[in-house]
Amino acid sequence: MAHDLTETPLTSFLDRIAERAPTPGGGSVAAVVGALSASLARMVAAYSTRKNQAPSPAVAAIVERLHQTDTILRELIDADAAAYEAMTAARRAAKSDPTAAAKYQVAVWTGIGVPMQVAAAAAESLITMEELTAHANKHLLSDLGVAAVLAAATARAARFMVLVNLPELADASRRDRLRGDADRLVEQCESRSKAIEAVVRERP
């Protein structure tokens, strides 16, 4: 099934989420929240340079990195829905054809990999946001605080989507490693979010 969630009007997208249908589901929603976070941080970065002036090299680098993260997260909105549907189809095939079990494991790996990428992108976004605090327009620090909170929530939400599929992965060592990786990403995101929130609260 083709996906075009990023081209869907907001109200229609929200209605699609609310439908009795598995996609778009939690993974796509996590990616949307991550993209919202990155987009909001990009706005803060855009206002961190005086009008009609070129950004400093540091701010220009921040803008570029946030744009890259935003792009990745937008792509993952559709990727998560596609991964879920592929996993569902592979599961059905494996029930009637034992030789399809290997393909199912590949589909599971992808189904886990997409939300892991969402969490990793949120972590990268927060690294950049933390750097932005030193350059941000003080009048937009509250917006940066919102972006940070959303990025941390993105990682936490993505971890749920990883954990729900981990039991389907046959390789126990991979399961343990992925669970640990997801936990570390969430810890890093929450730590950086708190640091950014502290800067926002200290704004004169």
Side-chain angles (χ1 to χ4, degrees):
M1 177 180 176
H3 293 281
D4 57 354
L5 297 175
T6 56
E7 300 299 324
T8 305
L10 178 59
T11 299
S12 298
F13 179 66
L14 295 174
D15 287 341
R16 286 183 65 176
I17 293 170
E19 291 173 357
R20 186 183 171 91
T23 59
S28 291
V29 169
V32 167
V33 174
L36 285 169
S37 168
S39 295
L40 188 56
R42 288 174 64 190
M43 183 191 77
V44 176
Y47 272 107
S48 298
T49 299
R50 289 184 180 277
K51 193 173 182 179
N52 299 323
Q53 289 188 6
S56 67
V59 172
I62 286 169
V63 168
E64 177 60 26
R65 286 163 56 194
L66 287 171
H67 182 265
Q68 291 174 355
T69 306
D70 190 6
T71 299
I72 290 169
L73 285 160
R74 293 185 194 202
E75 292 171 351
L76 291 172
I77 296 168
D78 279 324
D80 184 82
Y84 177 87
E85 290 172 2
M87 199 170 81
T88 300
R91 182 190 295 115
R92 289 173 181 160
K95 285 181 179 179
S96 58
D97 180 7
T99 63
K103 290 184 178 179
Y104 176 56
Q105 286 299 303
V106 172
V108 170
W109 182 250
T110 302
I112 294 169
V114 172
M116 283 294 294
Q117 291 178 67
V118 171
E124 179 60 31
S125 187
L126 278 162
I127 290 172
T128 312
M129 286 185 221
E130 193 169 17
E131 293 178 14
L132 180 56
T133 58
H135 309 277
N137 182 320
K138 67 179 182 179
H139 299 296
L140 279 89
L141 280 175
S142 57
D143 295 283
L144 190 60
V146 171
V149 169
L150 292 178
T154 296
R156 291 176 62 195
R159 178 173 60 178
F160 280 125
M161 308 315 295
V162 170
L163 295 180
V164 74
N165 289 321
L166 275 184
E168 299 297 310
L169 199 61
D171 189 326
S173 62
R174 273 187 171 183
R175 288 199 303 267
D176 292 342
R177 177 169 59 81
L178 286 165
R179 186 177 291 105
D181 288 346
D183 288 345
R184 279 189 290 275
L185 281 170
V186 169
E187 289 170 5
Q188 291 168 15
C189 286
E190 290 183 339
S191 175
R192 292 187 185 281
S193 178
K194 288 177 181 177
I196 294 167
E197 290 175 61
V199 172
V200 174
R201 286 194 298 270
E202 292 168 5
R203 174 183 175 264

